[in-house]
Amino acid sequence: MRRLSLAFAILGTTVLTAPAFADDHLRIVDEPLELTIHMHWPRAQGYGVGGDASKIYPVEQAAREMTGIHLIDRTSGKNTTDNNEAMNLLLAQGNFPDIVGGNLIQQPVNQYGPEGAFVPLNDLVKEHAPHIQAFWDSHPGLMEAISASDGNYYYIPYLPDGKFGRAWYIRQDWLDKLGLQQPQNVDELYEVFTAFRNNDPNGNGKKDEIPYFARQWEEVTRLLTLWDARSSGSDTYHDFYVTDAGQVVHPYAQENYRVGIKNIAKWYAEGLIDPEIFTRGASSRDYLLSEDLGGATHDWFASTSGYDEVLQDKIEGFTFIPFLPPASVSGVRMEEHRRIPIKPETAPSNGCWRRPLGIRGASPRAPTPTNGPTGSPMRWLGVMTGCTTN
């Protein structure tokens, strides 16, 4: 197996939806080629499932077969969950892996790229990843938004697809067991949650069901929309929003907020909302669903939809599906969460590349080759974003 030490960095995105197995036109090198990678984000410090480099991501295994490129973990700062500390350690070492990925990497890349630590991607993308270039061409302004002070861009950010990122999910098998329909409005949602709480849908004889839960406590404020209030105006929690009249206001300063928060407090007091929603944290979804305790949530499409497959053998009849936002007291169905056009972060998740990552040079001041094997990482990036490269 060949080993190549590169002298540039590419921060790539991640919109791989379905690997194209055994497709020879995706082959990048004739002989297997190893590239090293630094992959550091809050939930995993290393390139592998849960940060364990010995557990290869399914998408990595598929990519090896498709492209001939093998990514080998060489993550710095594995003893910290702080991605800034890990990035500073990586920069201080000077001996960089070929690929750099991490959380919130826009600032360091745009700072050190113009100084020579990273190579501009403008021409490399045009030559080796035409589909990425086509995305820039069809989305004016995004390339400029990620560019550094010198006008070049040094990474490809997470480029979300679609208008909505989150949705309401509910235990359809619980609804069926209790003879209930999917709730269509706030009153029906209250009735369903009450039934989940009182009527033992998991069948264990205990009153232990959690009707509504969320990994981020802020998602409890998302319930404000059921009373025509708002919790945010973007995909950032507690943000300002623009009213229909064109005014910039904060959601918590509006009259309907007081009505909504009063009702949320009522639901919480009645046990319809997870009593540990402010402390249970990111593990709540895994725990409450796997223990057959959770009834409904508001969460990301991609990661939440996978539980049907994961738990079907553990919990008989388990069905956790999305449903339309229940109508508010005035009849408005609102999905408040929206995707923003770009995000300056990275992470592999559930076997798919979902956010930016970077291919980095062996030395931050090394000269940049413009031909030969240096096109391999850019072509690899094109494949990993679902693009056919040439």
Side-chain angles (χ1 to χ4, degrees):
M1 182 179 291
R2 289 186 295 157
R3 172 74 184 87
L4 175 65
S5 180
L6 301 174
F8 67 92
I10 302 169
L11 280 185
T13 157
T14 59
V15 201
L16 180 66
T17 54
F21 295 94
D23 196 338
D24 289 341
H25 84 280
L26 298 178
R27 194 76 182 176
I28 295 174
V29 292
D30 295 329
E31 299 178 10
L33 175 64
E34 288 186 353
L35 300 177
T36 54
I37 179 170
H38 164 97
M39 177 55 66
H40 194 288
W41 56 302
R43 288 193 291 167
Q45 296 77 52
Y47 184 64
V49 178
D52 185 348
S54 68
K55 298 178 181 179
I56 300 175
Y57 286 112
V59 72
E60 164 63 17
Q61 188 61 52
R64 290 180 178 185
E65 298 171 7
M66 288 189 296
T67 67
I69 301 293
H70 293 226
L71 299 190
I72 307 301
D73 180 69
R74 208 176 83 194
T75 300
S76 296
K78 289 190 175 185
N79 60 340
T80 178
T81 58
D82 189 322
N83 55 279
N84 291 320
E85 289 184 14
M87 180 64 74
N88 289 336
L89 179 61
L90 178 68
L91 292 168
Q93 289 174 343
N95 183 22
F96 295 91
D98 301 310
I99 301 174
V100 173
N103 198 48
L104 302 176
I105 49 181
Q106 181 181 37
Q107 186 276 326
V109 170
N110 281 352
Q111 177 179 348
Y112 296 109
E115 296 179 10
F118 295 85
V119 167
L121 302 187
N122 309 53
D123 293 336
L124 286 170
V125 167
K126 290 178 181 179
E127 181 178 359
H128 297 290
H131 287 65
I132 296 178
Q133 185 60 46
F135 180 87
W136 296 139
D137 294 342
S138 62
H139 294 78
L142 292 190
M143 187 175 70
E144 290 77 7
I146 68 168
S147 295
S149 58
D150 62 355
N152 293 313
Y153 67 96
Y154 296 85
Y155 76 108
I156 312 265
Y158 169 29
L159 301 170
D161 184 26
K163 187 175 182 179
F164 303 105
R166 296 176 185 258
W168 287 82
Y169 279 79
I170 197 164
R171 288 288 298 273
Q172 182 63 47
D173 54 320
W174 282 11
L175 291 174
D176 295 342
K177 183 175 182 179
L178 300 177
L180 301 171
Q181 300 296 315
Q182 289 184 3
Q184 299 300 310
N185 56 51
V186 59
D187 292 332
E188 292 180 8
L189 185 66
Y190 176 80
E191 293 172 2
V192 164
F193 282 179
T194 301
F196 281 0
R197 180 60 179 159
N198 296 332
N199 298 342
D200 194 28
N202 65 13
N204 66 358
K206 302 177 182 178
K207 192 175 181 180
D208 55 359
E209 290 84 356
I210 305 295
Y212 181 81
F213 66 92
R215 292 184 297 159
Q216 294 87 21
W217 70 262
E218 289 91 347
E219 287 301 321
V220 74
T221 63
R222 197 79 70 182
L223 299 174
L224 287 166
T225 60
L226 298 172
W227 292 275
D228 295 320
R230 296 289 299 274
S231 71
S232 181
S234 71
D235 79 337
T236 300
Y237 292 120
H238 321 298
D239 202 1
F240 289 83
Y241 73 99
V242 180
T243 68
D244 293 338
Q247 295 179 311
V248 177
V249 299
H250 198 278
Y252 302 163
Q254 309 310 303
E255 180 64 28
N256 284 341
Y257 172 81
R258 293 193 292 178
V259 176
I261 207 69
K262 179 180 178 179
N263 281 280
I264 291 174
K266 175 179 179 291
W267 285 23
Y268 184 84
E270 294 179 7
L272 307 185
I273 297 171
D274 183 7
E276 299 180 40
I277 197 164
F278 296 102
T279 57
R280 202 185 296 273
S283 64
S284 63
R285 186 178 61 177
D286 286 345
Y287 173 74
L288 292 174
L289 290 181
S290 65
E291 296 298 318
D292 202 14
L293 299 174
T297 193
H298 186 265
D299 211 326
W300 295 97
F301 277 109
S303 59
T304 311
S305 296
Y307 282 89
D308 270 12
E309 180 178 355
V310 172
L311 296 177
Q312 61 181 348
D313 294 332
K314 181 178 179 180
I315 302 173
E316 184 178 357
F318 182 88
T319 309
F320 198 52
I321 61 174
F323 68 105
L324 290 174
S328 70
V329 290
S330 68
V332 175
R333 291 185 186 267
M334 176 184 292
E335 177 47 66
E336 186 180 49
H337 181 266
R338 296 289 192 278
R339 290 190 182 275
I340 60 174
I342 54 175
K343 287 189 176 184
E345 55 194 49
T346 178
S349 173
N350 297 328
C352 289
W353 286 105
R354 304 183 57 79
R355 302 177 187 169
L357 67 88
I359 302 176
R360 183 76 159 75
S363 168
R365 301 296 180 266
T368 302
T370 58
N371 51 38
T374 58
S376 297
M378 191 68 248
R379 293 185 63 197
W380 172 86
L381 177 58
V383 172
M384 297 304 289
T385 56
C387 304
T388 301
T389 59
N390 51 31

